[in-house]
Amino acid sequence: FERNQGPRQGSAVGSGFIFDAQGYVVTNNHVIANATEIKVILHDGTTLSAKLVGKDPRADLAVLKVDTTLKLTPVAWGKSETVRIGDSVIAIGNPFGLGGTVTTGIISARHRHLSNFGGIPGSSFVDFLQTDAAINKGNSGGPLFNAKGEVIGINTAIYSRQGTNVGIAFSGPSDLAVPII
C-alpha cells in the first residue's frame, strides 16, 4: 500500500516497425495513447525521439515519425486476404520489455470478431487474424510476417485471463491497416 505522494511517472513498452524509409513507424494506438514522450528504440539500441503524426483509436493504429540521418529499411507489406488457415507466421516484438524477440506459429483463424475493442464500449472489430504465435504484453504494434517476409498483420491483442500468452492472439490485417496508415 502506498500513500498518494503526487503524480507518478511511468513508462510503457510496446512494439512497432518502420514502414517508410523517411522515418515513419506504425504501432498500436493503445501503446502510445497516454504518452507525453515517445521514443523508438531500433534493433541496434539506437534511441530516437518520435512524434505522433496520426492515430485511429477504432482500428488501434498510430503512426509515428522519427527524424534521423540514419538509413532506415522499411518492411514489405503483404496481402492479408491471401492468408490461409494453417499458414506459417512469424511475430517480432518486445514482450515484457525484453527486446527483439521472434516467435513462430500459424494462422489459426481469420475474420475474428472482438467486442468492445480497444476499450471503446460498443465497438467491434470483425477482421482480426488469429494466431498461436507467442504474443505477450509488449508485442503490441509489432509485425506479423508471412513466410515470404511480408507484413500481413499488426499484433494487437491477446486472449488471456492471466495477461500472458495462452496460444490465442490477434493481429489487425494488413489489408485494413495500409489504407488507414
Side-chain angles (χ1 to χ4, degrees):
F1 177 82
E2 288 183 29
R3 290 185 180 191
N4 186 358
Q5 298 174 357
R8 293 178 20 181
Q9 289 187 337
S11 63
V13 295
S15 300
F17 55 93
I18 299 164
F19 69 90
D20 183 287
Q22 300 303 309
Y24 289 95
V25 176
V26 67
T27 188
N28 287 133
N29 183 63
H30 77 263
V31 170
I32 55 85
N34 297 315
T36 56
E37 182 179 22
I38 302 171
K39 302 255 185 219
V40 171
I41 303 171
L42 303 180
H43 65 88
D44 66 358
T46 301
T47 300
L48 304 170
S49 291
K51 293 180 184 174
L52 176 66
V53 295
K55 64 181 180 176
D56 185 332
R58 211 167 139 78
D60 199 13
L61 293 171
V63 175
L64 311 174
K65 173 78 167 77
V66 296
D67 289 317
T68 182
T69 57
L70 297 172
K71 181 179 177 178
L72 301 174
T73 304
V75 298
W77 290 103
K79 297 280 188 188
S80 56
E81 195 54 41
T82 64
V83 174
R84 297 174 303 168
I85 295 172
D87 282 355
S88 294
V89 291
I90 300 164
I92 297 180
N94 183 27
F96 305 109
L98 294 171
T101 300
V102 178
T103 59
T104 62
I106 62 167
I107 294 294
S108 306
R110 296 178 51 208
H111 305 292
R112 280 294 192 217
H113 172 84
L114 296 180
S115 296
N116 298 322
F117 176 68
I120 302 169
S123 70
S124 66
F125 191 88
V126 186
D127 204 27
F128 278 107
L129 299 173
Q130 181 182 321
T131 182
D132 67 349
I135 295 173
N136 289 289
K137 290 179 180 182
N139 278 98
S140 292
L144 185 69
F145 289 99
N146 63 17
K148 296 178 188 175
E150 302 166 326
V151 175
I152 49 117
I154 299 173
N155 301 324
T156 304
I158 60 175
Y159 180 85
S160 172
R161 293 177 190 197
Q162 299 83 16
T164 57
N165 179 272
V166 295
I168 301 174
F170 303 97
S171 297
S174 60
D175 290 350
L176 174 83
V178 170
I180 292 171
I181 292 167

